[in-house]
Amino acid sequence: MDPIQEDKYGLLRDFNASTRLTAQHYLWKEALGFTVHPSVELSEDCHRVDVATGNGLWLLDTSRSIPAAGRLHGFDTSLDQCPQDGWLPDNVRFHRWDVFDEPPAQFLEKFDLVRVRLVTVVVQSNDPSSIIGNLRKLLSATAIRYILTLSHGSQSLKATCNEKKSTV
């Protein structure tokens, strides 16, 4: 495992964990009918990031449906479950980053779409404000806010998209 200060992630990073992440990806994709909300309009050369990328499957799946000029980055505290660089499409890269730390300077205000989901397992003291603050630093001036929520009570999914960064 990559040595980042203290691993706050409470789940394993083994074969079974990667299988769970793969199943989650395809279940969400099947339930929603998309990997990126259809109303999201991004330029051909836009930069997208998947925070807490896990095994990177969302990036790999998304890379097949965007122009080669589009850039996809995956951030996680551990890259143990991600494919090695030699197996990646040219427009996909993975980077180590802990959402509780300042984003690396080269990624500040770089991304047109920031995707993050299921990070509640690392939220500390029921306060996600430090995570949200760091995620906002990744957004470009023209970024779109895309919110996906899962309601356990009604077992429903809801996706909303169309708000610019200035309204976040």
Side-chain angles (χ1 to χ4, degrees), residues 5-143:
Q5 304 162 343
E6 173 190 336
D7 194 357
K8 299 166 188 80
Y9 187 64
L11 301 174
L12 297 175
R13 291 188 176 96
D14 58 10
F15 177 80
N16 289 334
S18 192
T19 301
R20 174 185 51 80
L21 292 173
T22 299
Q24 283 176 342
H25 170 76
Y26 285 110
L27 287 169
W28 280 69
K29 184 176 174 180
E30 180 69 23
L32 294 170
F34 53 81
T35 55
V36 176
H37 196 280
S39 68
V40 174
E41 295 180 20
L42 298 167
S43 66
E44 289 189 7
D45 62 344
C46 81
H47 286 66
R48 299 161 175 92
V49 64
D50 184 25
V51 178
T53 194
N55 62 6
L57 187 54
W58 182 85
L59 291 170
L60 298 172
D61 197 11
T62 301
S63 73
R64 291 192 291 266
S65 62
I66 67 167
R71 295 289 170 236
L72 296 158
H73 296 267
F75 294 153
D76 210 312
T77 58
S78 171
L79 302 180
D80 289 351
Q81 296 178 92
C82 297
Q84 298 299 312
D85 288 346
W87 291 89
L88 298 176
D90 291 339
N91 61 346
V92 176
R93 291 291 170 261
F94 293 107
H95 315 274
R96 286 181 53 234
W97 177 57
D98 187 325
V99 295
F100 292 101
D101 297 337
E102 283 286 316
Q106 71 266 31
F107 297 120
L108 293 175
E109 298 184 0
K110 181 175 179 114
F111 297 102
D112 303 298
L113 185 133
V114 175
R115 176 187 182 267
V116 61
R117 73 182 171 131
L118 304 175
V119 295
T120 55
V121 71
V122 298
V123 172
Q124 300 169 349
S125 302
N126 207 24
D127 181 12
S129 59
S130 63
I131 295 173
I132 293 168
N134 285 331
L135 293 174
R136 287 186 60 153
K137 293 173 185 175
L138 299 171
L139 295 168
S140 71
T142 59

